[in-house]
Amino acid sequence: MNIRLFWKLINYVASQEEKAYRKIWGNRLLARFRGKPKTFSKISTIEAKKTKKGYKKIKSMVKPKHDIDDLILLCDRGIAKYNETSGFFKNLRLLTLVAGLIFANAFAFQTVMKVNQINDKVGITIDESCLVKDQYEACEKEAKRQSVTEIEAVTRTAKWQALVFSIVISIVGLLVIGIVSNDNKGKLHLEVLSLYLSRLKKEREACEAKNADQ
């Protein structure tokens, strides 16, 4: 297979698509949101020029000795692999979201349990330690004050844990989204190249048929 040629072709397509993206699809962003026909007609015009230029370049790079079917096969296989990995990362994104919800609920449950344990401990302390009648009120007050301090400490710890976990989950989520976006870009480049090659194959077949008739 023409592996070296394939890499030249896909690198050319990728570089052209990256350069043209902002110019074409980022053009008049506000007008695009409003759905103005002028914006989309301009986008279509620029795309038509870019497509014609890209096809001419691909056509000049693929010589008659090269097997176009091999190149199209490489594109199709690459697209299939991108679909496989994109599906995996999309599922991973959902798993990350679900894991985030589970751990958030786990943090909340853990905090509630610790607070309940502290309150139970206060009740036991008051019943067992504050038995002296003259000191009961002072003992009860001190036990409750300590429980409030412990509850505040538990709450602060839970807040920091939740914050750290949220940051970690956000970073993981951004990484997954970034990988999925790059996968989609790579898949798009292969699809564009496949379109060029399919057009070139049809053109060659038509030329061969014409020559055969003559």
Side-chain angles (χ1 to χ4, degrees):
M1 287 191 178
N2 308 301
I3 301 297
R4 184 175 297 178
L5 174 62
F6 175 76
W7 283 114
K8 288 182 180 179
L9 295 173
I10 195 63
N11 285 331
Y12 169 77
V13 170
S15 63
Q16 292 301 308
E17 292 296 320
E18 291 291 337
K19 289 177 184 177
Y21 180 81
R22 185 175 297 179
K23 179 181 178 182
I24 296 175
W25 297 105
N27 189 31
R28 297 186 181 182
L29 186 61
L30 183 60
R32 285 181 62 203
F33 279 120
R34 294 169 64 185
K36 289 201 169 187
K38 183 179 178 181
T39 303
F40 293 101
S41 65
K42 186 171 183 179
I43 287 173
S44 299
T45 302
I46 299 172
E47 271 287 8
K49 292 178 180 178
K50 183 179 72 71
T51 302
K52 185 176 180 180
K53 179 183 175 183
Y55 176 67
K56 284 184 176 180
K57 180 65 176 178
I58 295 298
K59 186 176 179 180
S60 67
M61 294 172 71
V62 181
K63 307 300 180 184
K65 65 179 181 179
H66 295 133
D67 191 335
I68 296 180
D69 286 330
D70 283 349
L71 297 172
I72 294 175
L73 179 61
L74 287 170
C75 288
D76 292 343
R77 188 180 187 282
I79 292 168
K81 296 306 290 185
Y82 272 117
N83 288 335
E84 180 185 359
T85 55
S86 293
F88 168 76
F89 282 111
K90 284 176 183 177
N91 291 333
L92 182 60
R93 185 171 52 183
L94 292 175
L95 289 174
T96 302
L97 176 61
V98 172
L101 294 173
I102 291 174
F103 279 102
N105 289 324
F107 279 130
F109 179 76
Q110 183 182 19
T111 303
V112 171
M113 290 297 295
K114 287 183 178 179
V115 170
N116 288 336
Q117 288 175 359
I118 292 170
N119 288 330
D120 293 341
K121 182 180 175 182
V122 171
I124 295 172
T125 301
I126 292 173
D127 291 338
E128 293 181 353
S129 303
C130 303
L131 299 176
V132 181
K133 185 177 182 180
D134 296 338
Q135 299 178 358
Y136 184 83
E137 291 183 1
C139 179
E140 182 183 21
K141 186 176 180 180
E142 178 62 21
K144 289 183 177 180
R145 187 191 67 79
Q146 289 181 0
S147 70
V148 170
T149 302
E150 291 180 13
I151 289 172
E152 288 178 351
V154 169
T155 305
R156 281 197 300 272
T157 302
K159 285 180 179 178
W160 278 109
Q161 288 176 341
L163 178 62
V164 171
F165 179 74
S166 298
I167 292 172
V168 171
I169 286 294
S170 299
I171 292 172
V172 172
L174 288 173
L175 288 173
V176 172
I177 291 172
I179 292 171
V180 171
S181 298
N182 286 330
D183 269 0
N184 290 336
K185 281 184 182 179
K187 179 183 175 183
L188 174 64
H189 299 155
L190 288 169
E191 288 174 340
V192 170
L193 178 57
S194 181
L195 290 173
Y196 286 148
L197 293 172
S198 297
R199 168 72 180 275
L200 181 57
K201 181 182 178 182
K202 289 180 180 178
E203 189 175 303
R204 285 188 180 178
E205 288 175 347
C207 186
E208 289 173 0
K210 184 177 180 181
N211 293 333
D213 291 340
Q214 292 177 351

